[in-house]
Amino acid sequence: MKKIAIANDHAATEMKKEIVKMLEAEGYEVLNFGTDTNDSVDYPDYAKKAADAVVNGDADCGIVICGTGIGISIAANKVPGIRCGLCKDVTDARLTREHNDANMLAMGARTTGMETAKDIVHTYLTTPFSQGANHIRRIEKLGKLDGSIQ
């Protein structure tokens, strides 16, 4: 079974709840690091918790959601070892896994419809990394940039 860290800010509480239901119905274990209310919070605090769980191996991958997905993806990508792709459609989700071996997915609750978000999550979770030599080389360079690879 795959463990998935999920986090969100106040703009994405409802989307997070729906995604969690879907994931649990599909047999995933979900570690919820997001807020469960609509009270205003700061997305970097929640992104860091989920990203830390991925980097530490407590979760196999992570999903972060805010209003647009932009801020929370930037925050997640500040954690060394994280490759978080902001995805607006299933093509983005497929390519961020195939080419970037993204270990986190970001989405925007205000910019992405619920059914599209579910399709994005499903695609992200079921698409394998291509193992292409050119992609491996680039991922290693990313790791050197953030210091997660020496």
Side-chain angles (χ1 to χ4, degrees):
M1 176 175 5
K2 217 172 195 186
K3 285 186 185 179
I4 301 169
I6 194 164
N8 61 288
D9 73 357
H10 55 280
T13 302
E14 295 311 311
M15 179 174 279
K16 188 269 305 270
K17 288 177 182 177
E18 287 297 313
I19 297 297
V20 168
K21 279 187 215 172
M22 180 191 85
L23 292 171
E24 290 176 343
E26 291 180 8
Y28 293 98
E29 182 178 344
V30 180
L31 306 174
N32 180 3
F33 294 102
T35 185
D36 289 316
T37 73
N38 295 324
D39 298 335
S40 184
V41 297
D42 297 330
Y43 57 80
D45 301 334
Y46 296 90
K48 182 168 180 2
K49 290 176 186 180
D52 284 346
V54 173
V55 169
N56 295 335
D58 296 329
D60 299 303
C61 63
I63 299 169
V64 288
I65 316 166
C66 68
T68 63
I70 297 169
I72 206 161
S73 67
I74 292 169
N77 279 314
K78 295 290 184 183
V79 176
I82 292 299
R83 292 179 308 282
C84 183
L86 172 57
C87 297
K88 302 285 187 184
D89 56 40
V90 295
T91 300
D92 288 349
R94 180 177 55 81
L95 292 173
T96 201
R97 286 290 307 129
E98 285 179 356
H99 294 189
N100 309 116
D101 197 19
N103 52 12
M104 292 190 80
L105 163 70
M107 297 185 296
R110 294 179 177 149
T111 59
T112 306
M114 188 66 74
E115 293 308 310
T116 299
K118 289 178 181 179
D119 290 342
I120 289 168
V121 169
H122 179 76
T123 300
Y124 170 79
L125 292 173
T126 59
T127 301
F129 176 50
S130 72
Q131 299 293 329
N134 57 330
H135 300 304
I136 292 170
R137 181 180 67 250
R138 293 169 188 150
I139 291 166
E140 287 173 355
K141 287 182 177 187
L142 290 171
K144 288 178 182 176
L145 284 173
D146 74 10
S148 62
I149 296 177
Q150 299 301 321

